[in-house]
Amino acid sequence: YPFHDRPWIETSYHGVITENMDTVLLDPPLVALDKDAPVPYAGEICAFMIHGQEAPFEAVVLNKTSGEGVLRAKGLVDCETQKEYTFLIQAYDCGAGANGVSWKKSHKAVVHIQVDDVNEFSPVFREAIYHAAVTEGKIYDSILQVEAWDQDCSPQYSQICNYDIVTSDTPFAIDRNIRNTERLSYDKQLHYKIMVTAFDCGQKRATESVAVHIDVKPVCKPGWQGWNKRMDYEPGTGSKQLFPKMHLETCDGPLSAVRAMVELQTSHIGKGCDRETYSEKSLQKLCGAASGSTDLLPAPAASTNWTASLLTDSGRDSDLIFRFDGRQASNVPERVVPQNLTDQFTIATWMKHGPSPGLRAEKETLLCNSDKTEMNRHHYSLYVHNCRLVFLLRRDFTQVDTFRPAEFHWKLEQICDKEWHYYVINVEFPAVTLFVDGVTYEPYLVTDDWPIHPSSIDTQLTVGACWQGGEVSTPRFTQYFRGSLSGLTIRPGKIETQKVISCLQACKEGLDINSLESLGKDIKFHFNPAQSVLVMEGEDLESVNTAMGKVSYINSRQFPTAGLRRLHITTTVQCFGEDICISIPDIKAVVIVLPPSEPRITIAGSDRLVKPSADLRGATGVAPFKELRITSTVTKSDGVPFSAGGWGGTVHRPGVLEVMHNLDYCDVLVIGEELNPEHESLEIHHSSLIGKHLDATNSTSGISIYGVDSMAHYEEALRQVRYRNWRPATLTNRRFRLTCSELNGRYTSNEFNLEISVLHNSAPVEHVNHMAVQSQYMRPVHHPLMVHTLNSHISGTPPAATVVIVICIAALVVIVVLGIYRLHSTHLDGSKREEDGAKDPKMDWDDSTLTITVNPMEVVRDEEEDDDDEEEEDDEQAGDMSAESGDSDETEEEEEEDEREVKKEGKQKSKLEWDSSSITY
C-alpha cells in the first residue's frame, strides 16, 4: 500500500473546558477521515498527535474505523492560571500495520480551547479599614468609596455587582460610594462606625465585612476652644491658672491682631470683691492710717449699741454691711461724737446706692449733725440728691462774718450704679476733695453761705437720716437714706493720704499672670487698679494662645469668701485689608472658691482670782489675765492638704490642727455695774503695745484692744491689762468678760468670764503662814459641821472660857512668830516674783481651786452690830474685852479652818503659790 491517501481533519477546532474538569467539548467534533479501502489497517485512524508548548491536553482515538476521537485534560485546569489554550493537532492512520511503521499523518489543525470559570472565590475588600470625615450640616454625594475584588477569572464571577451596609439604622447609603442620607450634627453624634459587605455578580458574598469610620466635624466656628466652664479654687493655694489649654480657632481666617479682655465679676460679694473684713479701726491701723478715727457704724455690741436697731446684711460673710430702706436711722451717742473737728478732717464710707424712685427725689442723708432741740440748723452733713453727692459744711460764726464755702457737689455715675464704691472726703477748709475708689474728684459747684451764729443748743449726730429737733411739734428723723453703707468713719484733725485710701479699698482677689517674663515681647497687657480686668493684645495667634493659658485667679485672704466668681471674656480680631473680619463669641465661666476650714478660737486660763485688797490699791493694781492662753484650731477632713497664711501644714487624717492667724480685736467687758472712774480703772499701759500693730481704747464699760496682729501679740497685750481699785473696802468681787474676733466677728472666740474676789482685813497674814508651813502631803481631812458648832459655842462664850482662850492664844503666838521667821525669805522671793510677773506668767498663784472660808465671828458681828468693814478695821477700842475675845476667837477659828483647807488642797501643790506681796511684818 505504498500509495494510500493521508487522513483528513478540519483545519481548526474550538473547544471549551470547565475548570477543574477533564473533558473538552470541541466544535466541530474531533473526527479523522481516511479514503483508503476499509481493509485491516488501511483506512483506520490509529492516533492524534498534539503539538504545543506543553499543552496539558491529550487526544485519544475512540474508534479507529470511524476516526472519532476525544480531547481531554491531562490534569486539573485552572482558569485563574490560564484562561485559554491554542495548539496544533494531527491525525495518523494505521498505514500497513499497527506498529506505526509507514503511518501517514494529516495536516496540522489549530485548536483553540477556552477554560470556563467556576465561582469559587468570595469578594475581598482592598483596605482592612476605611476612614472618612464630614462636616456637620451638609449632604454629601460621596463621603468615600469602598472597593472589593474577586480572584475568579471570568467577568461574571470576578466583578463586584453590589455593596451593602450591614449596620442597621444608620444615616448612610452605599452604591460603592458611601453618602449620608440626612444632615449630621456634631452635638448629636460625633463618630459613626458602619460595617459594609460586597457581592460578586454570581451573588457570592464577601466572607468578612469591612469597618468604615466616619467622624463628624463641627462647622468651623471662630472662637475659643479647650476651656472649662467651671474652675475650683482651694483657699491658700496662691495663683491658679484658669484656662491652661485654651486656644483661639480662627478657621484659617487672615488676621493681623487679637485683643482679649478678661473680666472678673465679683460685685455680688461683700463690698464689691473679697476685701479684708477686719473692723474699720483695725483696717485703718493695718493700712497705716493715723489713729483717732471714730467708727460711726461699728458692729452692734454692749458698748456700741446704737447700731443694734439697724438692718445688717447678714448674707455678706461678716463683711459688716448696714442696709437702709428709708425707714432706719440711728443717733450716735454724745460720748462717741468727735468734738474737735478743725479745718482738717476726713469722712470715709463704703456706699452702694441706686437711683431714687419717684419723680422728685428727696435728699438722702448718710451723715448729719444738726441741732438737737429748738432749731433745725444742719452744721455738717453728707447726703445724696438726684445722683449727686453733696457735702454741707456750715462753719460757726467766728471773728469774721463773711461768706464761706458751705456746699460741695459731685455728679458721678458711681453714685447711682448700684455697685459698691469707697468714698473719702478730705476737708482742708476751704478746699474739699472727694476720692471715689482712690480716684480724686474736685467739686463742680460750691455754694457759699453765712456762718452759723453761735448758740448753746446741743447738736445731734445721726446716721441714715437727719434729726429734726426744732420747728416741728414732735422731734423726728427726716431725709432718710436708701442704700447700703459700711465703715462710716470720721477722723478729726487729719486728712487721709492717697496711699492709705488705696490700701483701705484694695481687693484681696483678682486676676494674675503666671510667669510674666515668658509672655513674649509681642504681647501687650494691662490691668485695671483692682486687677479685676485684664486686657491683652498680640499680633501672633500662637502668642495670644500662650498668654491666655497663663491667666490666673488669686485670692490672698486666709479665709476667703466662699462661692462663685463670674468670668467674662470678650475678644476682637483685626483683619488685613478689606476682608470681612472674624467675630469671636464671648465666653462666660465661673471660679468656685471652696469654703475654707473655719477656725475655732479658744480663750483659756484661770477664771477666778483671789487678791488681797492691798494689791488692788497698789500702784500697778492686778493683772486679771496674767495666765491667759489663746489658741485656734481647725478640723480637717481626711486627706485634704492644709495651708494658711504664713503657716502651712498638711494633714492626711481626720483630726484637729492648731493654726496661727491674726485677730482684729479683743474686748474686755465689765459685767455688772460700770467702772466708777473716781476710785477704779481698767487700763493697759501704752508701753505694752509698743512693737505690735495694736491700739486700745477704754471706757467705764471695759477696754478694747484692736489691730490686725497675731494671737501671740494679743495674748501678751491682754496679760498686761491691769485692774486697779484704790478704795476696795466695799468691793467683794469684780467680773469681766473677754471675747476676741477674727475678721470683725466672722470668727469669734468663746466668752471667757473671769471673777476677781477681794480679801479684806489683816487676817490673811496668819492665813498665809499656815498655808506656807503646812505639809502639803498630809492626808486631807474636812469636817463640814465644825463651823456651825463653833459658831453656836462662841456666840455665848462665858468669861471663864474667854480667859482660857486668851491663854491658848498666847501659846499660839509663839508658833506664829516662828512661822513668820521661817517665811521671811519666802516673802522676799514672792515680792520679786510679783515684780517679774510679766516676764514669767506661770509664776503666779493659781487660785482657781482655792476655797475662801467665811469667818463665823465676822458674820455674827455683822448681824448684831451692822458695822461695815472699814469701821471694823479702824476700831481701836483695845480695852473692850469682848472685842478682844472676838478677835481671838476669830484668829483661832480661822487657823483651824485654814488648816483643814490646806490639807484639802494638798494635792494642788504644783499649782498653788501664795501671792505674798501684800504681807506686812
Side-chain angles (χ1 to χ4, degrees):
Y1 300 89
F3 302 107
H4 67 269
D5 291 326
R6 297 168 61 185
W8 175 91
I9 56 175
E10 299 285 346
T11 56
S12 67
Y13 292 88
H14 289 277
V16 175
I17 184 171
T18 302
E19 63 178 344
N20 302 325
M21 306 289 282
D22 61 352
T23 306
V24 179
L25 298 175
L26 277 178
D27 180 30
L30 182 58
V31 178
L33 299 175
D34 194 333
K35 295 179 180 179
D36 290 327
V39 293
Y41 306 115
E44 293 183 350
I45 300 300
C46 267
F48 291 101
M49 188 68 67
I50 289 176
H51 304 279
Q53 297 289 333
E54 299 178 0
F57 296 97
E58 61 180 0
V60 180
V61 177
L62 293 178
N63 190 319
K64 289 184 177 183
T65 306
S66 64
E68 292 177 53
V70 67
L71 192 64
R72 58 181 177 218
K74 289 193 285 188
L76 294 178
V77 180
D78 188 1
C79 172
E80 285 73 38
T81 305
Q82 191 166 338
K83 291 184 180 181
E84 55 184 30
Y85 296 88
T86 300
F87 52 87
L88 299 175
I89 190 169
Q90 278 182 311
Y92 288 78
D93 63 11
C94 294
N99 57 3
V101 179
S102 71
W103 286 1
K104 287 192 175 181
K105 53 188 176 187
S106 69
H107 64 266
K108 293 178 181 176
V110 179
V111 181
H112 292 283
I113 297 178
Q114 178 184 333
V115 182
D116 270 0
D117 190 19
V118 172
N119 196 0
E120 57 185 327
F121 291 100
S122 300
V124 176
F125 286 95
R126 294 198 179 276
E127 304 287 342
I129 194 166
Y130 287 89
H131 287 280
V134 296
T135 303
E136 64 176 348
K138 287 177 66 178
I139 295 289
Y140 287 81
D141 292 331
S142 175
I143 295 172
L144 81 158
Q145 192 177 74
V146 295
E147 187 181 0
W149 67 287
D150 195 313
Q151 289 185 15
D152 288 312
C153 62
S154 64
Q156 180 184 1
Y157 297 141
S158 66
Q159 285 185 2
I160 307 300
C161 268
N162 59 302
Y163 294 87
D164 202 2
I165 294 174
V166 178
T167 310
S168 59
D169 299 327
T170 58
F172 299 97
I174 190 168
D175 57 3
R176 184 175 185 185
N177 291 310
I178 296 177
R179 63 184 185 277
N180 57 319
T181 57
E182 61 185 60
R183 298 180 192 280
L184 304 179
S185 167
Y186 176 79
D187 294 330
K188 183 179 177 183
Q189 189 167 341
L190 49 86
H191 178 79
Y192 292 89
K193 177 186 176 183
I194 58 175
M195 301 302 292
V196 173
T197 190
F199 295 87
D200 62 21
C201 292
Q203 289 305 298
K204 198 173 184 75
R205 178 177 169 167
T207 311
E208 292 182 4
S209 301
V210 71
V212 180
H213 294 271
I214 299 173
D215 293 318
V216 180
K217 288 186 175 179
V219 174
C220 186
K221 298 172 185 172
W224 291 102
Q225 295 181 1
W227 56 277
N228 294 321
K229 288 187 177 179
R230 167 180 170 156
M231 286 72 66
D232 288 347
Y233 182 81
E234 179 81 29
T237 53
S239 186
K240 181 176 180 179
Q241 286 173 272
L242 294 171
F243 315 107
K245 297 179 181 178
M246 189 177 194
H247 61 277
L248 185 62
E249 175 63 70
T250 59
C251 299
D252 300 324
L255 55 88
S256 60
V258 178
R259 180 180 184 271
M261 181 172 76
V262 186
E263 186 180 0
L264 181 71
Q265 298 171 336
T266 56
S267 58
H268 63 292
I269 296 169
K271 296 191 291 268
C273 74
D274 223 355
R275 293 179 165 92
E276 290 294 9
T277 56
Y278 292 114
S279 65
E280 200 62 33
K281 279 189 174 181
S282 301
L283 271 176
Q284 287 169 349
K285 193 156 185 65
L286 191 67
C287 288
S291 59
S293 69
T294 302
D295 190 357
L296 300 180
L297 284 175
S303 57
T304 56
N305 58 0
W306 70 91
T307 60
S309 63
L310 301 178
L311 294 174
T312 55
D313 213 336
S314 58
R316 297 297 183 186
D317 197 20
S318 300
D319 194 353
L320 191 65
I321 290 167
F322 291 90
R323 189 160 46 88
F324 296 85
D325 61 1
R327 293 191 296 271
Q328 279 81 33
S330 183
N331 286 327
V332 180
E334 190 69 28
R335 60 184 170 82
V336 178
V337 177
Q339 303 296 331
N340 53 344
L341 288 187
T342 61
D343 284 352
Q344 278 194 339
F345 63 93
T346 300
I347 297 177
T349 187
W350 286 94
M351 180 176 76
K352 183 168 82 167
H353 182 264
S356 304
L359 295 172
R360 264 193 79 187
E362 297 289 327
K363 292 180 179 179
E364 297 178 53
T365 304
L366 285 77
L367 179 70
C368 180
N369 184 266
S370 58
D371 289 330
K372 188 177 283 189
T373 57
E374 299 179 36
M375 301 179 75
N376 189 33
R377 300 173 304 172
H378 294 185
H379 295 253
Y380 61 87
S381 70
L382 180 65
Y383 62 90
V384 173
H385 191 211
N386 287 324
C387 295
R388 290 174 172 81
L389 188 68
V390 182
F391 179 58
L392 169 74
L393 181 63
R394 302 280 309 280
R395 303 308 301 263
D396 287 343
F397 183 88
T398 49
Q399 292 117 2
V400 215
D401 190 1
T402 59
F403 257 25
R404 296 284 189 95
E407 264 189 12
F408 304 84
H409 294 240
W410 295 270
K411 183 173 174 59
L412 301 170
E413 288 181 8
Q414 293 95 315
I415 294 166
C416 282
D417 67 359
K418 298 182 182 177
E419 301 286 350
W420 280 104
H421 299 287
Y422 187 53
Y423 300 83
V424 179
I425 292 176
N426 272 349
V427 178
E428 284 183 292
F429 196 78
V432 177
T433 306
L434 171 69
F435 291 80
V436 182
D437 299 330
V439 180
T440 56
Y441 296 91
E442 297 300 325
Y444 78 94
L445 171 67
V446 178
T447 306
D448 292 339
D449 203 352
W450 295 104
I452 290 179
H453 285 272
S455 69
S456 58
I457 301 171
D458 289 335
T459 59
Q460 175 65 59
L461 185 64
T462 56
V463 176
C466 233
W467 180 253
Q468 189 167 4
E471 302 174 3
V472 286
S473 55
T474 307
R476 57 185 171 86
F477 286 115
T478 183
Q479 298 175 2
Y480 283 99
F481 179 68
R482 290 179 181 86
S484 296
L485 297 177
S486 179
L488 177 59
T489 58
I490 294 184
R491 176 183 291 104
K494 191 168 176 64
I495 62 168
E496 209 55 276
T497 64
Q498 176 96 38
K499 183 180 177 182
V500 170
I501 291 169
S502 297
C503 172
L504 286 169
Q505 57 104 36
C507 286
K508 299 293 284 185
E509 65 178 333
L511 298 170
D512 190 24
I513 295 182
N514 273 355
S515 57
L516 212 58
E517 65 282 350
S518 65
L519 272 186
K521 295 179 181 177
D522 54 342
I523 293 289
K524 299 175 185 174
F525 66 94
H526 171 72
F527 284 103
N528 69 333
Q531 288 203 198
S532 61
V533 178
L534 166 64
V535 178
M536 290 197 298
E537 293 183 44
E539 297 178 2
D540 175 42
L541 185 60
E542 196 57 44
S543 299
V544 172
N545 288 340
T546 303
M548 285 297 285
K550 296 180 184 297
V551 175
S552 303
Y553 169 81
I554 188 167
N555 194 318
S556 58
R557 288 186 68 189
Q558 187 173 0
F559 304 110
T561 307
L564 62 85
R565 316 291 198 266
R566 289 185 175 84
L567 286 164
H568 190 202
I569 301 178
T570 51
T571 313
T572 53
V573 175
Q574 292 179 352
C575 298
F576 291 105
E578 300 299 319
D579 293 336
I580 298 172
C581 217
I582 307 160
S583 176
I584 307 294
D586 288 1
I587 278 182
K588 290 185 178 178
V590 292
V591 178
I592 303 292
V593 178
L594 301 175
S597 298
E598 299 197 350
R600 182 178 178 184
I601 305 165
T602 307
I603 305 174
S606 298
D607 60 357
R608 186 158 180 250
L609 295 180
V610 180
K611 293 289 181 183
S613 56
D615 282 14
L616 272 65
R617 284 196 301 267
T620 58
V622 296
F625 305 108
K626 203 169 183 182
E627 297 176 9
L628 190 74
R629 176 89 175 98
I630 305 175
T631 56
S632 178
T633 54
V634 294
T635 304
K636 299 300 295 177
S637 57
D638 192 14
V640 178
F642 174 79
S643 176
W647 186 95
T650 306
V651 174
H652 292 288
R653 56 182 174 76
V656 174
L657 183 73
E658 186 170 336
V659 295
M660 299 300 292
H661 58 82
N662 291 332
L663 301 176
D664 65 339
Y665 66 79
C666 285
D667 286 341
V668 180
L669 190 66
V670 178
I671 302 175
E673 291 185 12
E674 292 194 355
L675 298 174
N676 187 336
E678 293 182 5
H679 62 79
E680 61 182 336
S681 69
L682 183 71
E683 57 191 25
I684 182 169
H685 198 271
H686 179 68
S687 61
S688 306
L689 305 176
I690 293 174
K692 302 178 179 69
H693 300 291
L694 298 177
D695 213 334
T697 57
N698 62 351
S699 67
T700 55
S701 60
I703 191 167
S704 181
I705 302 172
Y706 62 91
V708 180
D709 210 337
S710 66
M711 293 186 295
H713 277 181
Y714 265 96
E715 218 173 67
E716 290 172 19
L718 285 163
R719 288 174 178 175
Q720 301 304 310
V721 171
R722 315 293 293 191
Y723 171 67
R724 186 167 170 247
N725 191 320
W726 44 98
R727 284 207 298 241
T730 57
L731 186 70
T732 55
N733 56 45
R734 255 292 181 204
R735 293 170 61 221
F736 302 99
R737 176 173 295 153
L738 168 65
T739 54
C740 292
S741 150
E742 160 74 316
L743 298 171
N744 200 20
R746 176 175 170 187
Y747 306 118
T748 52
S749 69
N750 58 311
E751 290 186 346
F752 178 71
N753 294 309
L754 178 135
E755 181 176 310
I756 299 178
S757 297
V758 184
L759 283 174
H760 292 288
N761 67 39
S762 58
V765 175
E766 286 81 1
H767 189 71
V768 169
N769 296 337
H770 279 281
M771 289 193 70
V773 301
Q774 284 291 341
S775 167
Q776 298 204 6
Y777 295 96
M778 290 177 67
R779 187 174 175 182
V781 179
H782 190 56
H783 302 287
L785 296 176
M786 187 65 77
V787 174
H788 304 291
T789 311
L790 285 175
N791 193 12
S792 58
H793 169 68
I794 290 168
S795 60
T797 307
T802 305
V803 175
V804 174
I805 291 169
V806 170
I807 294 169
C808 293
I809 291 302
L812 281 169
V813 165
V814 178
I815 299 170
V816 169
V817 170
L818 288 173
I820 292 173
Y821 177 75
R822 287 184 61 186
L823 262 181
H824 185 64
S825 57
T826 307
H827 161 65
L828 294 174
D829 292 340
S831 302
K832 184 173 175 60
R833 277 196 302 272
E834 176 63 18
E835 290 169 6
D836 298 337
K839 297 178 183 176
D840 188 2
K842 294 179 184 176
M843 298 289 287
D844 200 2
W845 173 28
D846 181 354
D847 24 18
S848 58
T849 57
L850 181 64
T851 305
I852 302 301
T853 308
V854 178
N855 181 0
M857 283 305 296
E858 205 167 79
V859 175
V860 173
R861 280 205 311 280
D862 284 350
E863 291 174 352
E864 292 179 359
E865 299 171 13
D866 198 31
D867 291 334
D868 62 31
D869 296 334
E870 218 165 43
E871 289 170 344
E872 287 179 19
E873 285 175 12
D874 296 336
D875 190 357
E876 295 180 358
Q877 295 179 9
D880 186 346
M881 193 63 186
S882 64
E884 286 179 18
S885 64
D887 287 345
S888 303
D889 292 343
E890 174 188 332
T891 308
E892 180 183 83
E893 170 63 19
E894 198 168 57
E895 284 171 0
E896 292 180 22
E897 189 63 26
D898 289 345
E899 192 171 319
R900 287 194 297 273
E901 286 300 322
V902 172
K903 291 174 183 176
K904 181 181 179 182
E905 297 301 322
K907 294 180 181 178
Q908 301 291 333
K909 179 184 178 187
S910 59
K911 295 183 179 178
L912 193 58
E913 193 172 308
W914 177 255
D915 182 350
S916 50
S917 59
S918 61
I919 302 173
T920 53
Y921 294 94

